Every structure is written in structure tokens, then in C-alpha cells.
Amino acid sequence: MFDELILCLCACATWLDIAMVITLCALLLMGFPAAFTLAGVALLYGLLGLSIGAFDAAFIAEPFPIRIFGIVRNQVLLAVPLFILMGVILERSGIAERLLDTMARLFGSLRGGLGLSVMVVGALLAASTGIVGATVVTMGLLSLPTMLRRGYAPSVAAGSIAAAGTLGQIIPPSIVLILLGDVMSNAYQESQLRQGVFAPETVSVGDLFAGALLPGLVLVGFYMLYLIGLAIFRGEKTPAVPPEDRFAFRQGIAAALRTLPAPLILIVVVLGSILAGVATATEAAAVGAVGALLIAGSGTQVAEGLPKQLSRLGLLAFGVLAVMPFLFDLRLGRDESQDVNTLAIAVAMIACAGLAIGVLAAIFALFARGLLRPVLVKTTEVTAMVFTILIGAALFTLVFRGLGGDETVANALAATPGGVVGAVIAVMLVMFVLGFFLDFIEITLVVVPLVAPALLTLGLDPVWLGVMMAVNLQTSFLTPPFGFALFYLRGVAPPELPTTAIYKGALPFVAIQIVMLALLAAAPGLATWLPGRLYGG
């Protein structure tokens, strides 16, 4: 009987890779932690494969420690905790609240103005935090009660906030795009090696940022056009703010000039330095974290007195240091040096001292207000989650490939009706459904490495494919009844707001997302044009 069992297991060996994926999905749906489930399932099926001779331990004995070491020393992934820190600082320091209040009062005289303000602030927060859950929760807490109180239709208010919150998936610098960029780079190199190209080209996070920028802005434009259309044809759903709660025009401009420049300049410096090739994503993330800290320390809601003034001094020094490398040659140790460059180096050194003083003052201000510990704890929690999932996903991928999973995926995609188009549609549908149940980190680190090499081998552009996947996940996160963004919003929405209103309000934005996906599919240049112009790809 035992021999018959062994024969049965050997006959099923070819199905172990498929069973492995099914087991993983089942356990994740049951609520088990993703990181430990990935590693546990990999070890279980690795041992099972070893016992029946369907798996070679050499697939993990040496590669797995190398993978872990590679994850830890990966300079691209170092940007993840820094961008998370930047976003958490901006979220906890009240900057989002000030932005929303200023924009709402400035555009409140227009029908639909409050909704447009929510969309603009949502886009700014998306470019600042890059974390969907944080943006949806922040916008829900700050703007949903206000929109309902001002007479907005519940469905319109809820749909606008949920849609604005998901912009963090596609507008760089997004955590999704950073992880996707690293995964797509590895997948692209692997696909080229399969095709016999032993000097493979690379894809950077900057390429993906550049590819996602135009689609992200177009998507924001589509959202705003929909809200403008509602204001024109269904004005009762998006009424104007009462006169007593509006700014006078000059007062509104003055308030906007006080509130908007700092976060806008920070976004331009961080994203612009990456796109211009002046800084890597990691270096830009470090600049963004320091800038966010100084902005928080110089705000009236966090600091006062001397710490506030020193933080503003640091912010001024930050601006000087951001501009000077474009105007002067600040390299040290040169044989020939012009007097103007020598003076500029001296000014830069003084600015560095002012920046250090400002950073220390901002840290003290956050500590005095009890914000420093929550910021660091939140950053550590999210970072630990991401890197633990990375390690678990690395083990899962190695075992899956050792069981022949990569060949199974490649054969399945090659046999899909419709050729390349059919394969892309099949993968997008699978990712869309998985987005109802799995977090974007899990999908990016588990599913994408399994399917991307096979798709890229079929001749697809890696930047276009990465942007399509990001928009697809964003659509999934917004789609009723399982969209994660809707769950986040339901958690902070007032009890009197029915869940059906949230679902109803999300549907028009889901339709816009689908139009965006179709537009990307029909015009790949929307994602590939800017990287080609910037980097000559």
C-alpha cells in the first residue's frame, strides 16, 4: 500500500507547482500572514518534492542565502523605507489637512469645487506618500464629513475619495512602482537570457516612474473631467460651499501661497531629480525624507518658537543646496578653481551646517509634540512587512521554479488563445481577481516574478507591461465589492453612510480606469514615450 502511495505521489509530481499556488492562495484567503505563509508553503512543497524526487535541494541551498543578501544590499529597495518615512511624516504632521482646507476654500465657490479639491490633494498625497491605504484613510477622515455636510451626494463623495486614494498606485514615487521596477528589471534580464542575449539591457525604477507619470496625470484629468461633468449636468450632487466658508479671492491666493509651495517643491525636487537622472531613486528618497521632516518642523501645527524658526532656516538651506549643483561646480580637490566656484563651495558648506541644524530642530519639534515615536514605529512596521514578504517571496519563487513552475507558466501563456494579446489579457484578469484578496505587495512580489519573464519573452516592452500592471491593480483595488480602497474607506466613514453608496460612487471611476487600461493597450507610447525621450530607450 505504501508503494502505491509513492507511485500516486510520483504521478502527481507534475502538478506540485500548481498545487503550491492553490495552497498559497487558500491560506492567504483564510487570513494567514503573507510573509510567513509564503515561506511555509515553499518549505512544505520543497520537502514534499524532495521526498518523491521531484525537487532538487540545490535550487535553494545556495541561491536562497544569496537572494537574502541581495535583498538586504539592494540599493533600489533602500528607497522603500525612505519613501515610507517621507509619507508618514507628511501624513502625521497635518500637512494634508492644511492642503485640503486651503484648496476647498479656494475652489469652494464653484459647483464641484470641493470634489476637485479632493482630487488635487489626493494626487499630491499620492506623489508624497505612495501608500494607498494611508491616502484613503487620511482623505476619508478629513474630507468625507465635510463633503457630506456641504450637501454632496454620498455616492459622489465616497467615490471621489476612494478614487483619489488609489492614485498612490500609479503616480510616482509610488511604493508599488519601486517594487515593480525591481521585479521587472530582474524579469527582463531573465527573459533576455532565455533568448540567448548574454549582455542584457536593464530597466530601472526611473524608467518605470517616467512611464507611469503621463498615464497618472491623464487619469487625474479623466477623474476631474467626470467631476466637472457632474457639476454641469447634475449640480445638485456637487453644490458649492456656502459663502461664509469661502476665502475671498486674495485671501485664498495668499493661503495657497503659504500652503502649496513647500510640498509642491518637495515633489518636484524628488521626482524631477529621478527623471532628470541627477539622483537615483534611493538618493531622491533620502532627500524627500529630509525635506518632509523640515516641512513638518516648520509648520505651525507641529513647532513653535525657536525650533520652528530653525526648521525654516533648514528648509531655506535645503532649497539652496537643491539649486546650487545646477549653477556651480561644487567638486572639491580640483587643481583649477574659479573664484566664483570657491565662493559657491563656501556657501554650500554653510548651507549644509544650516541644514543639519534645521533637521535637528525638526526632530526635536516632532519629539516635543509626541509625533516622532509614532512616525518611526509606523515606518518600521511597514518596512519590516515589505522586506519580510520579499524574503518569503524569494523562497517561494525558488521552490516554484525548482518544481518546474516557470515552464508551466510559459507553456500556459504560449497556449493561450489569441497569442500575445490573449496571454496579456489572461494575466491581467488573474491579477485583477487576485487584487480583490491580496495586497499589492504580495501580488507584485509573488505573481509578477512568475509571469513577467514569460510575457517579456514574447516581445513586450517592460515599461509598458509594468505600467499596465500598476493601473490594473489600481482598478482592482477600486472595484466593488472587494476593492481594498473601499474597505479602507468603509473603516473611517460615518455609520450613516451606507456601504451601497460607497460601491455606487466607485463604479464610474472604475469605468474610467478601464478606459485608461484600454487607452494604454491601444497606445503603448503613452507609457514608453517619456522614458524614451529622457533616457533614449
Side-chain angles (χ1 to χ4, degrees), residues 186-197 452-454 456-457:
N186 295 330
Y188 190 42
Q189 293 186 47
E190 182 181 337
S191 72
Q192 292 177 87
L193 291 174
R194 288 183 185 180
Q195 300 173 68
V197 180
L456 294 173
T457 304

Side-chain angles (χ1 to χ4, degrees), residues 169-536:
Q169 292 274 86
I170 187 65
I171 294 182
S174 161
I175 303 301
V176 180
L177 295 177
I178 293 173
L179 297 176
L180 257 179
D182 185 64
V183 171
M184 292 301 294
S185 176
N186 295 330
Y188 190 42
Q189 293 186 47
E190 182 181 337
S191 72
Q192 292 177 87
L193 291 174
R194 288 183 185 180
Q195 300 173 68
V197 180
F198 297 106
E201 299 177 5
T202 59
V203 177
S204 68
V205 173
D207 291 323
L208 211 56
F209 278 9
L213 184 60
L214 283 181
L217 295 177
V218 170
L219 194 59
V220 174
F222 284 168
Y223 284 171
M224 297 181 75
L225 285 175
Y226 167 70
L227 292 174
I228 292 172
L230 273 182
I232 294 174
F233 299 106
R234 301 294 299 275
E236 71 280 1
K237 291 189 173 184
T238 58
V241 173
E244 61 271 16
D245 291 333
R246 304 173 193 166
F247 281 144
F249 181 75
R250 290 185 178 179
Q251 185 184 6
I253 294 297
L257 290 176
R258 288 194 303 268
T259 307
L260 289 176
L264 280 177
I265 291 173
L266 180 64
I267 292 168
V268 169
V269 169
V270 172
L271 189 54
S273 62
I274 297 174
L275 297 181
V278 176
T280 65
T282 303
E283 293 165 345
V287 171
V290 171
L293 184 63
L294 292 171
I295 292 173
S298 61
T300 56
Q301 295 186 357
V302 174
E304 56 186 12
L306 184 60
K308 178 180 176 180
Q309 300 304 322
L310 291 178
S311 296
R312 291 187 171 180
L313 173 65
L315 198 58
L316 176 62
F318 177 86
V320 170
L321 290 173
V323 172
M324 287 192 70
F326 296 97
L327 303 177
F328 304 101
D329 187 349
L330 301 179
R331 292 174 296 169
L332 300 175
R334 292 169 300 143
D335 294 333
E336 298 180 3
S337 178
Q338 299 178 1
D339 291 340
V340 64
N341 287 329
T342 303
L343 179 61
I345 291 172
V347 172
M349 289 182 175
I350 295 173
C352 287
L355 178 63
I357 294 172
V359 168
L360 291 175
I363 292 174
F364 175 80
L366 289 174
F367 176 78
R369 286 296 178 97
L371 294 175
L372 184 61
R373 179 181 174 84
V375 164
L376 295 179
V377 168
K378 181 67 174 178
T379 303
T380 304
E381 287 177 350
V382 178
T383 302
M385 176 194 68
V386 171
F387 278 85
T388 307
I389 292 176
L390 270 168
I391 294 172
L395 181 59
F396 183 89
T397 303
L398 289 172
V399 174
F400 182 79
R401 288 177 175 170
L403 293 172
D406 52 349
E407 295 179 5
T408 302
V409 171
N411 293 334
L413 292 177
T416 303
V420 178
V421 175
V424 172
I425 293 174
V427 169
M428 291 297 168
L429 286 175
V430 170
M431 291 182 66
F432 180 80
V433 174
L434 288 177
F436 291 154
F437 311 106
L438 304 181
D439 190 71
F440 71 86
I441 297 175
E442 298 155 17
I443 296 175
T444 302
L445 300 180
V446 178
V447 179
V448 177
L450 302 182
V451 300
L455 288 176
L456 294 173
T457 304
L458 297 175
L460 297 177
D461 184 277
V463 174
W464 174 81
L465 182 60
V467 175
M468 283 285 289
M469 287 179 170
V471 176
N472 187 36
L473 286 177
Q474 182 184 358
T475 308
S476 178
F477 274 39
L478 191 59
T479 302
F482 302 111
F484 273 71
L486 308 181
F487 290 152
Y488 291 135
L489 185 59
R490 176 69 275 176
V492 297
E496 60 270 18
L497 179 67
T499 303
T500 53
I502 298 178
Y503 290 170
K504 181 181 177 183
L507 288 176
F509 294 98
V510 172
I512 293 173
Q513 291 275 159
I514 295 173
V515 170
M516 188 71 235
L517 274 172
L519 185 60
L520 272 172
L526 193 60
T528 59
W529 177 80
L530 186 57
R533 294 286 293 179
L534 291 175
Y535 310 120

Side-chain angles (χ1 to χ4, degrees), residues 71-104:
I71 290 170
V72 172
R73 69 187 296 271
N74 191 323
Q75 293 294 316
V76 174
L77 295 179
L78 189 59
V80 172
L82 293 170
F83 274 128
I84 292 172
L85 177 61
M86 171 182 163
V88 173
I89 290 173
L90 292 176
E91 175 195 349
R92 296 295 178 95
S93 60
I95 293 173
E97 184 177 356
R98 297 200 299 273
L99 278 173
L100 188 62
D101 181 67
T102 300
M103 296 296 292

